[in-house]
């Protein structure tokens, strides 16, 4: 017999005397409340416009599904089945979904279709972060990270490999035809059943390989992935993997991602300009300082920053070797250039004069300078050749100006922030949230998935640094304030008929108003319904 004396009463099957609200099971300053308040400030008009009113069952409210997806991404939950389970067991999910229970199929399909509407939502969340004081635009750090694609690197093949596979399959088909000829003979082909004469699976494989071969030839690429045609082989720390290059721009005030993009290029050379333009578009302001690693160092990027009056800190590939390393021979930075006389002065004090024009691997014209190294006391520390040669790019002065900015005390102080600012979101998403591989295929869907994870990171920063009262005191985006929970749910049709105006409504008018109410407020009506277009 269980002894109950001295203990508080414990009865799992006891019912409540008064009905409870789901809000009572969620703490006042819980992250789910903050995310719900943020979504309530977002204008979802474009998302609602993707639905059309038609005959059938009412759809789930997109705002509810957006809240559930944002909160699950913030929690690091990506499986639609796990989200469905949490809707039955986790009170925070129950609060966000208002006790509604969409299935994992509904969640998965909405998320895939929802990717097209993520860009404007991402921009609105950046506006909210700016209004909350989480974006200062004092320093924006740019960086890229390889995200593993939902495809194997072994599926990336060249045109020669595709040709060998096609020949192998065609040879298999020819051998099958010869075996059938020996078995059935060649005199009566009409006696061979169609399912034996043709192999639809084999023909489908051959057609897929032929299509990939033609696409690879038209694109000019060296390889194509048969599983995800947009994924490219990229070098990572471990090996060469099929991946996408995810680009981010992070503000140093609270590590908010203010711009994001996905590219199939392995290098970052051509990503700075579109990312800077996206930052200006999303924040309506220009950053005070722009920093990036040497992967973004090109003369085109240097010229862009200078022409637009932006203070950039982007070291070239040899900057840290020249300033902090111990090279075997004197680096180019030890040779002083005289712009007026067009010559270099070597560490030994000798002049190096212009010789000729030569082109680099990218067909860029370079000016070549050589010096008189005969009997030079520093020859062994300068070069192993008989003469030291130096090339100069027509825009070399841009690199010299960038190095001068990095050498100042302000430049050193600002660039020291870059590693902690730019790498923090990637560490949070990949390590803390355990997001090591994309789930979708195709560049468009992968970009949507990356934006969703960036939104989850930004919402995490908001939950950590801002209270729910600060979010609720903000104005809605575009001046559109959505209905509050009370006004949206004071809604049942019985309350609608109990209003003073409904006292004069005829039965026929009440019927049509009931239909309208079902369409407008999601109440079940006789012929009301909402489906996706």
């Amino acid at each position: 017999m269980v002894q109950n004396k001295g203990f508080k009463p414990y009865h799992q099957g006891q019912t409540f005397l008064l009905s409870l609200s789901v809000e009572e099971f969620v703490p006042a300053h819980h992250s789910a409340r903050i995310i719900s308040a943020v979504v309530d400030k977002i204008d979802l008009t474009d998302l609602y416009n993707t639905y059309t009113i038609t005959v059938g069952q009412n759809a789930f409210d997109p705002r509810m599904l957006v809240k559930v997806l944002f909160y699950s991404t913030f929690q690091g939950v990506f499986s639609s089945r796990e989200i469905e389970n949490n809707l039955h067991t986790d009170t925070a999910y129950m609060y966000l979904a208002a006790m509604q229970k969409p299935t994992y199929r509904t969640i998965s399909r909405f998320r895939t279709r929802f990717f097209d509407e993520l860009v404007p939502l991402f921009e609105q969340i950046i506006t909210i972060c700016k209004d909350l004081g989480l974006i200062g635009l004092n320093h924006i750090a740019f960086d890229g990270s390889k995200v593993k694609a939902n495809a194997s690197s072994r599926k990336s093949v060249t045109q020669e490999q595709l040709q060998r596979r096609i020949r192998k399959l065609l040879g298999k088909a020819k051998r099958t035809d010869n075996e059938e000829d020996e078995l059935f003979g060649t005199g009566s082909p009409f006696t061979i059943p169609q399912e034996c004469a043709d192999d639809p699976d084999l023909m489908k494989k051959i057609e897929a390989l032929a299509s990939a071969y033609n696409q690879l030839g038209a694109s000019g690429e060296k390889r194509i992935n048969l599983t995800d045609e947009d994924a490219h082989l990229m070098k990572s720390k471990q090996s060469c993997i099929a991946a996408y290059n995810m680009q981010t721009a992070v503000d140093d005030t609270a590590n908010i991602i203010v711009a994001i993009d996905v590219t199939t290029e392995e290098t970052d050379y051509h990503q700075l300009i579109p990312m800077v333009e996206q930052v200006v578009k999303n924040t309506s302001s220009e950053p005070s300082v722009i920093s990036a690693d040497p992967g973004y160092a090109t003369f085109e990027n240097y010229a862009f920053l200078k022409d637009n009056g932006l203070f950039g800190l982007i070291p070239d590939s040899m900057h840290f070797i020249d300033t902090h390393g111990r090279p075997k021979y004197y680096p180019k930075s030890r040779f002083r250039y005289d712009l007026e006389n067009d010559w270099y002065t070597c560490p030994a004090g000798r002049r190096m004069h212009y010789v000729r024009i030569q082109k680099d691997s990218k067909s860029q014209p370079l000016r070549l300078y050589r010096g008189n190294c005969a009997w030079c006391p520093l020859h062994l520390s300068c070069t192993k050749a008989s003469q030291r040669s130096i090339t100069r790019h027509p825009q070399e002065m841009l690199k010299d100006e960038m190095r001068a900015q990095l050498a100042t005390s302000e430049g050193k102080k600002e660039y020291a922030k870059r590693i902690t600012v730019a790498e923090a979101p990637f560490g949070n998403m990949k390590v803390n949230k355990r997001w090591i591989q994309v789930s979708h295929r195709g560049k468009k869907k992968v970009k949507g998935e990356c934006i969703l994870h960036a939104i989850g990171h930004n919402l995490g920063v908001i939950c950590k640094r801002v209270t729910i009262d600060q979010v609720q005191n903000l104005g809605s985006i575009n001046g559109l304030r959505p209905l509050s929970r009370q006004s949206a749910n004071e809604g049942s049709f019985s309350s609608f008929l109990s209003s003073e105006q409904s006292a004069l409504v005829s039965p026929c008018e009440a019927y049509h108003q009931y239909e309208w109410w079902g369409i407008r407020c999601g109440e079940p009506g006789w012929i009301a319904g909402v489906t996706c277009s």
Side-chain angles (χ1 to χ4, degrees), residues 129 133-136 139 250-257 421 424-425 457-458 460-462 464-465:
C129 292
L134 300 178
I135 298 177
H139 186 145
V250 187
D251 184 85
D252 70 326
T253 303
N255 291 343
I256 291 289
I257 300 176
V421 174
H457 168 78
N458 290 346
V461 176
I462 294 175
K464 184 178 180 180
R465 293 175 175 262

Side-chain angles (χ1 to χ4, degrees), residues 397-506:
M397 62 183 67
L398 295 175
K399 185 170 70 173
D400 296 338
E401 294 174 358
M402 183 61 67
R403 286 197 171 193
Q405 291 179 175
L406 288 164
T408 61
S409 58
E410 181 185 0
K412 294 178 179 179
K413 179 180 178 181
E414 290 295 328
Y415 194 78
K417 301 178 182 178
R418 194 205 72 83
I419 188 169
T420 58
V421 174
E423 301 293 346
F426 290 127
N428 180 41
M429 291 185 288
K430 291 188 173 183
V431 179
N432 297 341
K433 305 295 178 60
R434 302 178 300 280
W435 180 55
I436 58 176
Q437 178 180 344
V438 296
S439 303
H440 297 79
R441 293 170 182 167
K443 181 180 177 181
K444 183 178 180 181
K445 292 183 178 179
V446 168
K447 182 178 179 180
E449 183 176 346
C450 292
I451 294 176
L452 182 60
H453 284 277
I455 290 176
H457 168 78
N458 290 346
L459 291 175
V461 176
I462 294 175
C463 294
K464 184 178 180 180
R465 293 175 175 262
V466 175
T467 63
I468 186 173
D469 295 333
Q470 292 176 274
V471 177
Q472 290 177 342
N473 291 334
L474 291 176
S476 298
I477 302 299
N478 297 333
L480 298 176
R481 183 174 298 277
L483 291 175
S484 63
R485 182 178 300 274
Q486 181 179 2
S487 60
N489 288 340
E490 67 182 1
S492 63
F493 183 66
S494 59
S495 64
F496 174 74
L497 285 181
S498 63
S499 63
E500 295 181 358
Q501 295 181 354
S502 63
L504 302 178
V505 175
S506 64

Side-chain angles (χ1 to χ4, degrees), residues 140-157:
I140 300 295
F142 296 83
D143 198 11
S145 180
K146 307 299 187 296
V147 182
K148 189 177 183 304
N150 187 9
S152 172
S153 58
R154 297 180 181 178
K155 291 292 185 178
S156 296
V157 294

Side-chain angles (χ1 to χ4, degrees), residues 156-192:
S156 296
V157 294
T158 61
Q159 282 189 316
E160 291 76 12
Q161 292 173 324
L162 286 172
Q163 287 178 346
R164 287 197 295 268
R165 292 193 182 189
I166 294 175
R167 291 195 191 103
K168 184 177 179 180
L169 292 176
L170 290 175
K172 181 180 178 181
K174 187 175 182 180
R175 287 194 302 270
T176 303
D177 291 339
N178 293 334
E179 292 173 358
E180 291 176 350
D181 289 342
E182 293 177 0
L183 180 62
F184 299 104
T186 58
S188 57
F190 298 102
T191 60
I192 302 177

Side-chain angles (χ1 to χ4, degrees), residues 202-236:
L202 184 62
M203 293 304 299
K204 188 180 296 184
K205 292 180 181 179
I206 295 175
E207 291 174 358
L209 292 176
S211 176
Y213 180 85
N214 296 331
Q215 184 176 350
L216 182 59
S219 63
E221 301 288 343
K222 295 182 179 179
R223 292 176 178 269
I224 187 172
N225 193 286
L226 299 179
T227 305
D228 186 353
E229 297 178 352
D230 292 337
H232 286 194
L233 283 179
M234 300 182 184
K235 294 180 180 179
S236 64

Side-chain angles (χ1 to χ4, degrees), residues 53-58 493-494 496-497 505-520 522-530:
I53 301 173
T54 183
V55 177
Q57 186 179 5
N58 289 344
F493 183 66
S494 59
F496 174 74
L497 285 181
V505 175
S506 64
C508 183
E509 292 176 348
Y511 173 89
H512 293 294
Q513 289 175 353
Y514 180 79
E515 293 176 1
W516 175 87
W517 195 260
I519 296 174
R520 177 62 182 86
E523 294 284 332
W526 289 308
I527 63 171
V530 179

Side-chain angles (χ1 to χ4, degrees), residues 21-51:
S21 172
V22 184
E23 294 190 358
E24 298 181 25
F25 294 96
V26 180
H29 297 284
H30 194 272
S31 56
R33 291 182 178 272
I34 298 177
I35 292 176
S36 177
V38 171
V39 176
D40 286 338
K41 298 296 180 182
I42 296 176
D43 180 17
L44 298 179
T45 303
D46 294 338
L47 183 58
Y48 278 98
N49 289 338
T50 60
Y51 288 77

